[in-house]
Each structure stands twice: as structure tokens, then as C-alpha cells.
Amino acid sequence: MRAEVIAIGSELTSGQKLDTNSQWLSQRLGELGVDVRFHTTLADDLGQNVDVLRIARSRAQLVIVSGGLGPTQDDLTREALATMADVPLIEDEASLSALTAFFERRNRVMPPRNRVQALLPEGATPLPNRSGTAPGIWLESVGTVFAALPGVPGEMKTMFDEQLVPRLQGTERLGPVRVHRVINLFGRGESDFEAEALDLTARGREPEVGITASDATISFRITAEAADSQAALDATEPTARLIYERFGEWIVGEGDVDVVEALIQELEMHQATLAVAESCTGGMVAQRLTDHPGVSRVFLGGVVCYANQAKIDLLGLPPAVLAEHGAVSSEVAEAIAAGARDRFGATLGLGITGVAGPDGGTPEKPVGLVYLGLATRHGVEHRRLLLGADQSRPVIRSRAAKHAMNWARVVLNSEVRGHGPAVSR
Amino acid sequence: MRAEVIAIGSELTSGQKLDTNSQWLSQRLGELGVDVRFHTTLADDLGQNVDVLRIARSRAQLVIVSGGLGPTQDDLTREALATMADVPLIEDEASLSALTAFFERRNRVMPPRNRVQALLPEGATPLPNRSGTAPGIWLESVGTVFAALPGVPGEMKTMFDEQLVPRLQGTERLGPVRVHRVINLFGRGESDFEAEALDLTARGREPEVGITASDATISFRITAEAADSQAALDATEPTARLIYERFGEWIVGEGDVDVVEALIQELEMHQATLAVAESCTGGMVAQRLTDHPGVSRVFLGGVVCYANQAKIDLLGLPPAVLAEHGAVSSEVAEAIAAGARDRFGATLGLGITGVAGPDGGTPEKPVGLVYLGLATRHGVEHRRLLLGADQSRPVIRSRAAKHAMNWARVVLNSEVRGHGPAVSR
């Protein structure tokens, strides 16, 4: 079953408000086995509303509309649906009683203009609204089901779950359940992975595999359909296994597990602790780790050593090292990593220093040059990253933070496999 | 000039990702006098892409497409535009050189797949991409201008501002300029401000005033239209003056100036320096300050003292104070603030400790309880915040960070007015 989601309101097309209803509806519809192919957002204009509904009718079997059911002159969904279906608007008695009762419960007289909310296109069924005034509308036209819901997210969600889902299930129009399984990788570019996965991402493959990039994390997304969600999940398994075999060393985790969550898991698994010394990332690693409740078991804290004097005073960086090599150097990265490990008494110390830009780059030390240091009980190592002189400051900072966390994760992980430095303190 | 904004990607129609590009584009287009009437979001399907482009051509004079310009098989925008315009795709030499150069700068060989990114519909103009691989596309078809931009928000925004805006201004297609002037306030709730601004926010007022809330910052948004941007800006002035007179003490700044930028400005104005000690905010204050290049002049750094031992070892918190009052207490907030000021040698030291949740709350110290400490040369003070036990961890952390920064800002600001503690070290 192919669907279109329509959001109505000039505050959306003008960009004054962000439409989040369409995303929510698409997720829920996907779980029900409905294939959402289009979102349309349009301003409060009757003629354009009617045109958009007609286009939707021609390309979808289910159309969910949110917004435009209020009592004001801007609220045109009722009229647009009636015009599209070529039927008159008629007053629905049950909806009028419900409206009147809504105001009575609040000891208020119903304003006369709210009466229009009881109007329905002839042949439509009202969808009761438990939490607001506007009833929803269920209308079939030329083989397509239209469901109009309120624009207020809370009312929309309640009506969707309580009124629309049972009705859709009753029509036996719902298709097989669709499951998305997302496997996250880090450490190479999207096209590097894609080049080694052309057989998986080929059009028409079953199950379908897509590849997306977000903040340098690359995700394979396996989409499978089956009668129930367990069977759909099972159908993703052979493809997931192929991805694990081929890209195992780069895989961070599945679903919401990105580099941060994966590092926390590794630290917990090893009962290891981490401290950080952040110069160019300025607290970003610490902030992302502490987004997670309970991280205090494995994350002891950090020093944001933005000023050079702080690297000396708080992390024991020898001034001579700073003078000889400069703040952005492998020597300083190693020294502050060791300093963080030592001052916090942690199993692992991470140090990050670099040129985040946009200014401060030189030919020898361009914007995007970042040194990472990692201190373990076996000593301290460094890595050099070139994150791109044409990248923005937020991108360079974010990637430096992710690379640092991923390095610590990989080192902990290789410990399990018995090669690589031991990390127990 | 009527416009449609199109976002392409199955990850959007499925609800896996939220489309924020369309909102951003609509805001910017509105400021340029373009009337955005439609947003369409659609899956990665060639036939549907072509149909949607044709519909857009029939109802808009300007169509902005984001997404679908990458190197993978899912990326269909080039092909869809060519099919819609009924022209072949041809390789653009300048774009191919730019692509090759992009990879050379990174010392990488261009993967063969990326070569498709140099293809353009015949008659189209490439829009250079400073920050990524995909060039944009400018194409006119049957009187409608199509501009295809990358889906990655950073690349899309840069290309819009640098490439598209000058080109649109060159076509003289733009209408009257609409200016939004945004005045940001912090420290009270939206409804508190709104109750004292009903005359300003009344419908039909000229210029129009809206009120919005984002992450506890409340913004008045004055919208005015005129032939040029200076005249439109002038038209906002009397209303802006009213807002300054009425709410001056709460005003942080205008436009992009929120609490962080305002604090940096105050520090620079006083040639004062800041160091922070962050427990529950875990580096968020440091991270937000260091988002800004050049902040090292006024921000020396911080300690993320997530573990209690770190408060003692790195910030000199007396263990007895910790034992007697607990980590979340006014005494600890003051001690770590003083410790940060002292260890970094800063003019001001800020300390933050609290219960960010979702666990760890008690009847005496509920989730949302946060103590701030502020150390100056006159001594150290504290504040107690109750940020709401029903708020989420990210909200509590973010508000605690903002309140801390705003307190430092207000103290610096009151110094100018000659009452309040002197802050020079």
C-alpha cells in the first residue's frame, strides 16, 4: 500500500515552523507495512489544497493529511476534501454534540466559529478527538483512503493510534511489515565502502540495502518485508552477515549505536576507565560521553586545555616540549594524553590537539591537522589526522572527537582478540 | 515569485531522518522575497522524481531540490532533471576537474563512481561546491528555474548563500525584500514575556511580531517588508525600541547572538578570562564556547569533574566538604568554581553541579536540581536552579549550561553599570 503524507499550513511552507508530524507518521506507517513515498507540505490556499489532494489521489492508495481542521478561516482541509471528492459539506450531528460537550466540560460557551468543525464532506466518517476540538475525517474517493488529522502533534498522534490504526487494520489494506536494520561503520568515506558493496546496494536486490552518511558515520540500511516483524528481521540476517564479514573491522554497532555508545560499551566490558585532555575539541568528547546517564562508571572526566598554560599547569606538559614542537604536535598530543591518564588515575587517557580553523592554519600545520594521543599502561602512542582544510570548524571538531573515541574503542576491542596493547591498569 | 522546495531521499519519506533543509531554505527564500508554497519530499525512485519535477514546473517559477547528487546508485537528481527537461546528460569538464582536485587535496584517488557527479543535463550550469564533491545544478526549463543542491546541510547552505543567491538576484526575479529581526531574551518563560507583549503580537499589527522559544531562549521576531533591506530594517526599528524598553534586562542580543555569543562579547569587552568546572554539564559549556574561533583570548579552559575524585584532585575540593554536603550542593559548586578560577588563573571561575537524571534523584535532591558557583576576585557566590524533574537529561544539561553562562554575562554587564562585583583580577 503506497501512501502520501500531507502537512498543511503557511507556517510550515514559510519555514517559521518545522514539520515533525510527517516524520512521525512515516515511521508509524512504515511499521504497519505502509510504503510512504511522498510528503507534501503546502500553504493555506484552497485551490492549491484541492490540486494537491487530486495529485495524491492519483499516486497513493492512502493519504494522511495533518492540519487545517481548526475553526479559523485559514483552516481549509474540510472544504478542500469535499471539493476534491465533488461532494457537499454537511453538518455531522455526533461531531456537533462532541464539540458542545468539549466546551461544556471546560465550563465555556462554544464560540460560534467552532461550529464549522462539525462539518464533514458527504459520505465521510468523523474520527473522534479525545484531546481537542477538531474531529478527524475518514473519506474514500476513487479507491484512495483519505484520513485528515489535527495538526497539533499530541492530538494527531492520539487520533492516529486510537482511531486510524484499527480502521486501517479493519480494511485489510495493510501490507506486509517492513523492517529497517541499520549497521553503522566508521573510519572510511562513504564511497570507499560503497565501492566494495556494489553487489549489495544494486537496485532491485532483495532485501534492499541503502548507504547513508551522517557526521562521518556511514550506515548500511537493510530493508526487508515479511508478514510479521520477526520474519522481516530474519530476512535481513544473511545480508547483515555479509556486511559483518566484509566490513567487520569498521563496524561500530547497529541502530542507535554510534561511536560514542560503542566506546562506552567497550569500556564497560573491560571495566576500564577513560579520561580526556581536549584542546581543539574543547570539551566535545566529554560532553558526548556524558550525554549518557551512568557513564560515570567508566568516564572519570577531562581537562579542556584550550589555553597552552592549562596544558602545562593541569596536565604536566613540559614547557620545553611545547616550545620546541608547538601546541599542535604529536609530542603534545602524547603528553596531554599521558597527563590526563595520570591526573585522573584512568586506564586510558586520550589527548586531542589540532587546528580547527577557520584561521590559524599554516603550510606546515594546515586547518584540519589533528594529533591524537592515547595513553595506556604500556605507554603512549599518537595518530595524525588530516580532516580537510576546506571543512568547517564544527565538522573538523566533530570528526576529531569521533576519531579519538573510535581509536580508544578499537584498542579496547583488539585487546579482546588478544593482539594489541593490554589495557588493564 | 512562487517557489517549491523538494527534498529527495527514502530516508526522509520513511521517517528515518527528519528533513530540516526545507525549513531552512524556506526561511532564507522568504527573506529574499520568494513565496514558498509547496514542500515535496519523495523517495529515491526515478519515475516519481520526474513526475514530481514536472508537477513543480507547472506550479512554481523557482524549484529548489536538495539531495540526490551523491555518487551512489540512489542518487537520481541529475538523471531526473535531464529526463524532465528532455535533454541528455553530458560530462562537465570544469566539474570533473574540481572533483579530481577535491580528492587530490586529500591525497586520495577519486573512486570511479564519483565521476558521475560531473554529469550535468545539457544546457545546465554547474554550481561549484566548496565543501564537498557534488556540484549543484542550475537549469531553466519552460520558464521555471531549477536549482539542485547537495543534501548535506552544511554543503547545501554554503552553496545556497554563495552560489544561488547572487544568481537569483541577477535574474531580477525577486520580489520585495522581507526582513526578520530577531531579539533574543533569556531568564523567564515564553508565556511570561508573551503576557506583557500582547499589544505587539496581536494579529494584523504592522510590522508583525512573533514569539518563539528554543532551548529556553525566547525570541521576538519582527517581520517587515520593503523595497530594499535597509528600508525593511528601518521599519522594524520603532518596534525593536519598544521591546528594548520593556524587556531590556532580559535581552541577550539579536540574530545569532544567544547566551554564548553574548558572554564572549562581555568577556572581550572587559578583557576578562573564564575557566569552568563542569560536573553535570560534562563539558557542554566548554564545548559551546570553543565552537567560536578566537575564543582562546577569553576562555582558558575547564575541568570536566564528572568523577568526585576529579573534583578533589584537579580542583582542590576539600574531601570533607564533599562528604558533608554531597556532590550536588552549593558548597561544592562554590568550591569547584573557585578551584577552576585558581587553577587556570582566570578572572572568573564558573562551577556547575547537579542532578541531570533520569536516575539519581532523591526527595531532597530531585532530578533538575542544579547549583551554580561563580568565583570572582571578590569571592564566590552560588545559585540554586530547579529545572524540572520531568525534563529530559539533555534539556536539564543544556539549561544548566545556559543559566551558568548567562549569570557570568550579567555579572560582567552589571560591572559596566558600576554596581555589582568588580571582576578585574
Side-chain angles (χ1 to χ4, degrees), chain B residues 257-287:
Chain B
V257 177
D258 196 354
V259 171
V260 180
E261 294 76 16
L263 171 58
I264 293 172
Q265 287 173 3
E266 286 289 344
L267 287 165
E268 285 177 342
M269 205 183 299
H270 290 81
Q271 299 185 291
T273 57
L274 175 70
V276 297
E278 299 188 66
S279 184
C280 65
T281 50
M284 197 178 261
V285 170
Q287 189 251 308

PDB file of all heavy atoms in Angstrom, chain B residues 257-287:
ATOM      1  N   VAL B 257      23.029  36.031  18.075  1.00  0.00           N
ATOM      2  CA  VAL B 257      23.634  36.235  19.396  1.00  0.00           C
ATOM      3  C   VAL B 257      22.726  35.661  20.469  1.00  0.00           C
ATOM      4  O   VAL B 257      21.698  36.231  20.821  1.00  0.00           O
ATOM      5  CB  VAL B 257      23.922  37.727  19.665  1.00  0.00           C
ATOM      6  CG1 VAL B 257      24.486  37.898  21.067  1.00  0.00           C
ATOM      7  CG2 VAL B 257      24.892  38.253  18.626  1.00  0.00           C
ATOM      8  N   ASP B 258      23.111  34.486  20.959  1.00  0.00           N
ATOM      9  CA  ASP B 258      22.421  33.874  22.079  1.00  0.00           C
ATOM     10  C   ASP B 258      23.348  34.029  23.286  1.00  0.00           C
ATOM     11  O   ASP B 258      24.303  34.800  23.251  1.00  0.00           O
ATOM     12  CB  ASP B 258      22.135  32.403  21.733  1.00  0.00           C
ATOM     13  CG  ASP B 258      21.091  31.791  22.660  1.00  0.00           C
ATOM     14  OD1 ASP B 258      20.679  32.445  23.628  1.00  0.00           O
ATOM     15  OD2 ASP B 258      20.700  30.640  22.416  1.00  0.00           O
ATOM     16  N   VAL B 259      23.073  33.287  24.348  1.00  0.00           N
ATOM     17  CA  VAL B 259      23.812  33.460  25.594  1.00  0.00           C
ATOM     18  C   VAL B 259      25.325  33.280  25.391  1.00  0.00           C
ATOM     19  O   VAL B 259      26.126  34.044  25.928  1.00  0.00           O
ATOM     20  CB  VAL B 259      23.272  32.464  26.649  1.00  0.00           C
ATOM     21  CG1 VAL B 259      24.146  32.468  27.880  1.00  0.00           C
ATOM     22  CG2 VAL B 259      21.830  32.823  27.007  1.00  0.00           C
ATOM     23  N   VAL B 260      25.709  32.304  24.591  1.00  0.00           N
ATOM     24  CA  VAL B 260      27.137  32.010  24.410  1.00  0.00           C
ATOM     25  C   VAL B 260      27.863  33.193  23.775  1.00  0.00           C
ATOM     26  O   VAL B 260      28.881  33.664  24.292  1.00  0.00           O
ATOM     27  CB  VAL B 260      27.316  30.754  23.517  1.00  0.00           C
ATOM     28  CG1 VAL B 260      28.791  30.455  23.343  1.00  0.00           C
ATOM     29  CG2 VAL B 260      26.591  29.566  24.111  1.00  0.00           C
ATOM     30  N   GLU B 261      27.334  33.683  22.676  1.00  0.00           N
ATOM     31  CA  GLU B 261      27.971  34.786  21.970  1.00  0.00           C
ATOM     32  C   GLU B 261      27.988  36.040  22.845  1.00  0.00           C
ATOM     33  O   GLU B 261      28.963  36.796  22.844  1.00  0.00           O
ATOM     34  CB  GLU B 261      27.231  35.085  20.661  1.00  0.00           C
ATOM     35  CG  GLU B 261      27.295  33.974  19.627  1.00  0.00           C
ATOM     36  CD  GLU B 261      26.382  32.802  19.951  1.00  0.00           C
ATOM     37  OE1 GLU B 261      25.482  32.961  20.811  1.00  0.00           O
ATOM     38  OE2 GLU B 261      26.579  31.720  19.366  1.00  0.00           O
ATOM     39  N   ALA B 262      26.894  36.248  23.590  1.00  0.00           N
ATOM     40  CA  ALA B 262      26.811  37.430  24.442  1.00  0.00           C
ATOM     41  C   ALA B 262      27.855  37.370  25.553  1.00  0.00           C
ATOM     42  O   ALA B 262      28.476  38.385  25.890  1.00  0.00           O
ATOM     43  CB  ALA B 262      25.403  37.546  25.026  1.00  0.00           C
ATOM     44  N   LEU B 263      28.071  36.187  26.115  1.00  0.00           N
ATOM     45  CA  LEU B 263      29.087  36.040  27.162  1.00  0.00           C
ATOM     46  C   LEU B 263      30.478  36.321  26.598  1.00  0.00           C
ATOM     47  O   LEU B 263      31.279  37.033  27.217  1.00  0.00           O
ATOM     48  CB  LEU B 263      29.023  34.633  27.772  1.00  0.00           C
ATOM     49  CG  LEU B 263      30.169  34.276  28.727  1.00  0.00           C
ATOM     50  CD1 LEU B 263      30.253  35.250  29.899  1.00  0.00           C
ATOM     51  CD2 LEU B 263      30.012  32.843  29.241  1.00  0.00           C
ATOM     52  N   ILE B 264      30.750  35.786  25.415  1.00  0.00           N
ATOM     53  CA  ILE B 264      32.069  36.015  24.803  1.00  0.00           C
ATOM     54  C   ILE B 264      32.281  37.515  24.569  1.00  0.00           C
ATOM     55  O   ILE B 264      33.343  38.065  24.864  1.00  0.00           O
ATOM     56  CB  ILE B 264      32.196  35.218  23.484  1.00  0.00           C
ATOM     57  CG1 ILE B 264      32.205  33.711  23.779  1.00  0.00           C
ATOM     58  CG2 ILE B 264      33.468  35.611  22.732  1.00  0.00           C
ATOM     59  CD1 ILE B 264      32.132  32.827  22.530  1.00  0.00           C
ATOM     60  N   GLN B 265      31.242  38.188  24.104  1.00  0.00           N
ATOM     61  CA  GLN B 265      31.354  39.641  23.882  1.00  0.00           C
ATOM     62  C   GLN B 265      31.661  40.388  25.175  1.00  0.00           C
ATOM     63  O   GLN B 265      32.506  41.280  25.206  1.00  0.00           O
ATOM     64  CB  GLN B 265      30.057  40.180  23.273  1.00  0.00           C
ATOM     65  CG  GLN B 265      29.858  39.789  21.816  1.00  0.00           C
ATOM     66  CD  GLN B 265      28.479  40.200  21.287  1.00  0.00           C
ATOM     67  OE1 GLN B 265      27.694  40.826  21.986  1.00  0.00           O
ATOM     68  NE2 GLN B 265      28.191  39.829  20.044  1.00  0.00           N
ATOM     69  N   GLU B 266      30.965  40.002  26.251  1.00  0.00           N
ATOM     70  CA  GLU B 266      31.193  40.684  27.536  1.00  0.00           C
ATOM     71  C   GLU B 266      32.613  40.425  28.034  1.00  0.00           C
ATOM     72  O   GLU B 266      33.277  41.329  28.546  1.00  0.00           O
ATOM     73  CB  GLU B 266      30.185  40.198  28.593  1.00  0.00           C
ATOM     74  CG  GLU B 266      28.769  40.716  28.414  1.00  0.00           C
ATOM     75  CD  GLU B 266      28.617  42.209  28.723  1.00  0.00           C
ATOM     76  OE1 GLU B 266      29.514  42.809  29.361  1.00  0.00           O
ATOM     77  OE2 GLU B 266      27.591  42.783  28.314  1.00  0.00           O
ATOM     78  N   LEU B 267      33.066  39.177  27.902  1.00  0.00           N
ATOM     79  CA  LEU B 267      34.422  38.855  28.347  1.00  0.00           C
ATOM     80  C   LEU B 267      35.435  39.687  27.561  1.00  0.00           C
ATOM     81  O   LEU B 267      36.371  40.256  28.140  1.00  0.00           O
ATOM     82  CB  LEU B 267      34.705  37.360  28.149  1.00  0.00           C
ATOM     83  CG  LEU B 267      34.001  36.394  29.116  1.00  0.00           C
ATOM     84  CD1 LEU B 267      34.073  34.953  28.583  1.00  0.00           C
ATOM     85  CD2 LEU B 267      34.633  36.459  30.511  1.00  0.00           C
ATOM     86  N   GLU B 268      35.230  39.784  26.256  1.00  0.00           N
ATOM     87  CA  GLU B 268      36.174  40.546  25.431  1.00  0.00           C
ATOM     88  C   GLU B 268      36.151  42.021  25.812  1.00  0.00           C
ATOM     89  O   GLU B 268      37.195  42.662  25.919  1.00  0.00           O
ATOM     90  CB  GLU B 268      35.833  40.365  23.944  1.00  0.00           C
ATOM     91  CG  GLU B 268      36.273  38.997  23.453  1.00  0.00           C
ATOM     92  CD  GLU B 268      35.909  38.713  22.001  1.00  0.00           C
ATOM     93  OE1 GLU B 268      35.024  39.414  21.462  1.00  0.00           O
ATOM     94  OE2 GLU B 268      36.488  37.769  21.437  1.00  0.00           O
ATOM     95  N   MET B 269      34.949  42.540  26.056  1.00  0.00           N
ATOM     96  CA  MET B 269      34.820  43.947  26.398  1.00  0.00           C
ATOM     97  C   MET B 269      35.554  44.276  27.697  1.00  0.00           C
ATOM     98  O   MET B 269      36.099  45.353  27.852  1.00  0.00           O
ATOM     99  CB  MET B 269      33.323  44.266  26.524  1.00  0.00           C
ATOM    100  CG  MET B 269      32.966  45.713  26.284  1.00  0.00           C
ATOM    101  SD  MET B 269      31.207  45.941  26.552  1.00  0.00           S
ATOM    102  CE  MET B 269      30.509  44.847  25.312  1.00  0.00           C
ATOM    103  N   HIS B 270      35.562  43.327  28.628  1.00  0.00           N
ATOM    104  CA  HIS B 270      36.224  43.546  29.915  1.00  0.00           C
ATOM    105  C   HIS B 270      37.649  43.020  29.936  1.00  0.00           C
ATOM    106  O   HIS B 270      38.295  43.063  30.977  1.00  0.00           O
ATOM    107  CB  HIS B 270      35.450  42.843  31.033  1.00  0.00           C
ATOM    108  CG  HIS B 270      34.139  43.478  31.336  1.00  0.00           C
ATOM    109  ND1 HIS B 270      33.020  43.241  30.586  1.00  0.00           N
ATOM    110  CD2 HIS B 270      33.781  44.367  32.287  1.00  0.00           C
ATOM    111  CE1 HIS B 270      32.017  43.946  31.081  1.00  0.00           C
ATOM    112  NE2 HIS B 270      32.455  44.640  32.106  1.00  0.00           N
ATOM    113  N   GLN B 271      38.121  42.477  28.824  1.00  0.00           N
ATOM    114  CA  GLN B 271      39.414  41.785  28.809  1.00  0.00           C
ATOM    115  C   GLN B 271      39.519  40.829  29.999  1.00  0.00           C
ATOM    116  O   GLN B 271      40.545  40.761  30.677  1.00  0.00           O
ATOM    117  CB  GLN B 271      40.557  42.794  28.815  1.00  0.00           C
ATOM    118  CG  GLN B 271      40.504  43.687  27.579  1.00  0.00           C
ATOM    119  CD  GLN B 271      41.696  44.609  27.494  1.00  0.00           C
ATOM    120  OE1 GLN B 271      41.849  45.530  28.292  1.00  0.00           O
ATOM    121  NE2 GLN B 271      42.546  44.346  26.522  1.00  0.00           N
ATOM    122  N   ALA B 272      38.416  40.148  30.237  1.00  0.00           N
ATOM    123  CA  ALA B 272      38.361  39.188  31.341  1.00  0.00           C
ATOM    124  C   ALA B 272      38.525  37.773  30.770  1.00  0.00           C
ATOM    125  O   ALA B 272      38.303  37.545  29.588  1.00  0.00           O
ATOM    126  CB  ALA B 272      37.017  39.301  32.063  1.00  0.00           C
ATOM    127  N   THR B 273      38.953  36.847  31.625  1.00  0.00           N
ATOM    128  CA  THR B 273      39.073  35.447  31.195  1.00  0.00           C
ATOM    129  C   THR B 273      38.206  34.557  32.070  1.00  0.00           C
ATOM    130  O   THR B 273      37.875  34.900  33.203  1.00  0.00           O
ATOM    131  CB  THR B 273      40.534  34.971  31.282  1.00  0.00           C
ATOM    132  OG1 THR B 273      40.999  35.154  32.622  1.00  0.00           O
ATOM    133  CG2 THR B 273      41.428  35.741  30.312  1.00  0.00           C
ATOM    134  N   LEU B 274      37.853  33.418  31.507  1.00  0.00           N
ATOM    135  CA  LEU B 274      36.936  32.495  32.177  1.00  0.00           C
ATOM    136  C   LEU B 274      37.524  31.093  32.196  1.00  0.00           C
ATOM    137  O   LEU B 274      38.161  30.655  31.238  1.00  0.00           O
ATOM    138  CB  LEU B 274      35.599  32.476  31.412  1.00  0.00           C
ATOM    139  CG  LEU B 274      34.531  31.486  31.876  1.00  0.00           C
ATOM    140  CD1 LEU B 274      33.954  31.899  33.224  1.00  0.00           C
ATOM    141  CD2 LEU B 274      33.399  31.383  30.846  1.00  0.00           C
ATOM    142  N   ALA B 275      37.295  30.380  33.297  1.00  0.00           N
ATOM    143  CA  ALA B 275      37.568  28.936  33.356  1.00  0.00           C
ATOM    144  C   ALA B 275      36.357  28.273  33.996  1.00  0.00           C
ATOM    145  O   ALA B 275      35.637  28.909  34.770  1.00  0.00           O
ATOM    146  CB  ALA B 275      38.818  28.659  34.181  1.00  0.00           C
ATOM    147  N   VAL B 276      36.101  27.026  33.638  1.00  0.00           N
ATOM    148  CA  VAL B 276      34.890  26.372  34.126  1.00  0.00           C
ATOM    149  C   VAL B 276      35.208  25.027  34.780  1.00  0.00           C
ATOM    150  O   VAL B 276      36.191  24.371  34.438  1.00  0.00           O
ATOM    151  CB  VAL B 276      33.864  26.147  32.987  1.00  0.00           C
ATOM    152  CG1 VAL B 276      33.400  27.470  32.422  1.00  0.00           C
ATOM    153  CG2 VAL B 276      34.430  25.272  31.889  1.00  0.00           C
ATOM    154  N   ALA B 277      34.353  24.662  35.729  1.00  0.00           N
ATOM    155  CA  ALA B 277      34.413  23.328  36.342  1.00  0.00           C
ATOM    156  C   ALA B 277      33.038  22.720  36.150  1.00  0.00           C
ATOM    157  O   ALA B 277      32.056  23.212  36.698  1.00  0.00           O
ATOM    158  CB  ALA B 277      34.737  23.446  37.831  1.00  0.00           C
ATOM    159  N   GLU B 278      32.969  21.689  35.333  1.00  0.00           N
ATOM    160  CA  GLU B 278      31.659  21.150  34.965  1.00  0.00           C
ATOM    161  C   GLU B 278      31.489  19.730  35.473  1.00  0.00           C
ATOM    162  O   GLU B 278      32.244  18.843  35.115  1.00  0.00           O
ATOM    163  CB  GLU B 278      31.503  21.145  33.448  1.00  0.00           C
ATOM    164  CG  GLU B 278      31.594  22.521  32.815  1.00  0.00           C
ATOM    165  CD  GLU B 278      31.235  22.468  31.330  1.00  0.00           C
ATOM    166  OE1 GLU B 278      30.070  22.178  31.022  1.00  0.00           O
ATOM    167  OE2 GLU B 278      32.134  22.680  30.501  1.00  0.00           O
ATOM    168  N   SER B 279      30.467  19.527  36.276  1.00  0.00           N
ATOM    169  CA  SER B 279      30.128  18.164  36.667  1.00  0.00           C
ATOM    170  C   SER B 279      28.947  17.682  35.820  1.00  0.00           C
ATOM    171  O   SER B 279      29.141  17.017  34.817  1.00  0.00           O
ATOM    172  CB  SER B 279      29.837  18.091  38.163  1.00  0.00           C
ATOM    173  OG  SER B 279      29.596  16.760  38.524  1.00  0.00           O
ATOM    174  N   CYS B 280      27.725  18.085  36.130  1.00  0.00           N
ATOM    175  CA  CYS B 280      26.579  17.524  35.413  1.00  0.00           C
ATOM    176  C   CYS B 280      26.527  17.926  33.941  1.00  0.00           C
ATOM    177  O   CYS B 280      25.987  17.202  33.115  1.00  0.00           O
ATOM    178  CB  CYS B 280      25.263  17.892  36.106  1.00  0.00           C
ATOM    179  SG  CYS B 280      24.906  19.647  36.096  1.00  0.00           S
ATOM    180  N   THR B 281      27.082  19.097  33.602  1.00  0.00           N
ATOM    181  CA  THR B 281      27.048  19.504  32.198  1.00  0.00           C
ATOM    182  C   THR B 281      28.172  18.851  31.389  1.00  0.00           C
ATOM    183  O   THR B 281      28.147  18.887  30.159  1.00  0.00           O
ATOM    184  CB  THR B 281      27.131  21.041  32.055  1.00  0.00           C
ATOM    185  OG1 THR B 281      28.239  21.496  32.832  1.00  0.00           O
ATOM    186  CG2 THR B 281      25.860  21.700  32.549  1.00  0.00           C
ATOM    187  N   GLY B 282      29.131  18.262  32.063  1.00  0.00           N
ATOM    188  CA  GLY B 282      30.099  17.359  31.418  1.00  0.00           C
ATOM    189  C   GLY B 282      30.860  17.913  30.229  1.00  0.00           C
ATOM    190  O   GLY B 282      31.204  17.170  29.322  1.00  0.00           O
ATOM    191  N   GLY B 283      31.119  19.199  30.183  1.00  0.00           N
ATOM    192  CA  GLY B 283      31.909  19.758  29.085  1.00  0.00           C
ATOM    193  C   GLY B 283      31.088  20.584  28.118  1.00  0.00           C
ATOM    194  O   GLY B 283      31.612  21.133  27.149  1.00  0.00           O
ATOM    195  N   MET B 284      29.788  20.691  28.396  1.00  0.00           N
ATOM    196  CA  MET B 284      28.907  21.386  27.457  1.00  0.00           C
ATOM    197  C   MET B 284      29.212  22.884  27.362  1.00  0.00           C
ATOM    198  O   MET B 284      29.193  23.467  26.268  1.00  0.00           O
ATOM    199  CB  MET B 284      27.462  21.177  27.908  1.00  0.00           C
ATOM    200  CG  MET B 284      26.438  21.475  26.855  1.00  0.00           C
ATOM    201  SD  MET B 284      24.795  21.134  27.511  1.00  0.00           S
ATOM    202  CE  MET B 284      24.479  19.519  26.817  1.00  0.00           C
ATOM    203  N   VAL B 285      29.503  23.506  28.505  1.00  0.00           N
ATOM    204  CA  VAL B 285      29.829  24.933  28.477  1.00  0.00           C
ATOM    205  C   VAL B 285      31.117  25.143  27.683  1.00  0.00           C
ATOM    206  O   VAL B 285      31.185  25.999  26.791  1.00  0.00           O
ATOM    207  CB  VAL B 285      29.970  25.492  29.911  1.00  0.00           C
ATOM    208  CG1 VAL B 285      30.555  26.894  29.889  1.00  0.00           C
ATOM    209  CG2 VAL B 285      28.623  25.489  30.611  1.00  0.00           C
ATOM    210  N   ALA B 286      32.139  24.336  27.980  1.00  0.00           N
ATOM    211  CA  ALA B 286      33.413  24.469  27.273  1.00  0.00           C
ATOM    212  C   ALA B 286      33.217  24.229  25.785  1.00  0.00           C
ATOM    213  O   ALA B 286      33.747  24.961  24.938  1.00  0.00           O
ATOM    214  CB  ALA B 286      34.432  23.482  27.841  1.00  0.00           C
ATOM    215  N   GLN B 287      32.455  23.218  25.462  1.00  0.00           N
ATOM    216  CA  GLN B 287      32.257  22.873  24.052  1.00  0.00           C
ATOM    217  C   GLN B 287      31.544  24.001  23.309  1.00  0.00           C
ATOM    218  O   GLN B 287      31.917  24.351  22.191  1.00  0.00           O
ATOM    219  CB  GLN B 287      31.461  21.570  23.986  1.00  0.00           C
ATOM    220  CG  GLN B 287      31.362  20.988  22.604  1.00  0.00           C
ATOM    221  CD  GLN B 287      29.971  21.129  22.059  1.00  0.00           C
ATOM    222  OE1 GLN B 287      29.007  20.744  22.705  1.00  0.00           O
ATOM    223  NE2 GLN B 287      29.847  21.684  20.871  1.00  0.00           N
TER     224      GLN B 287
END
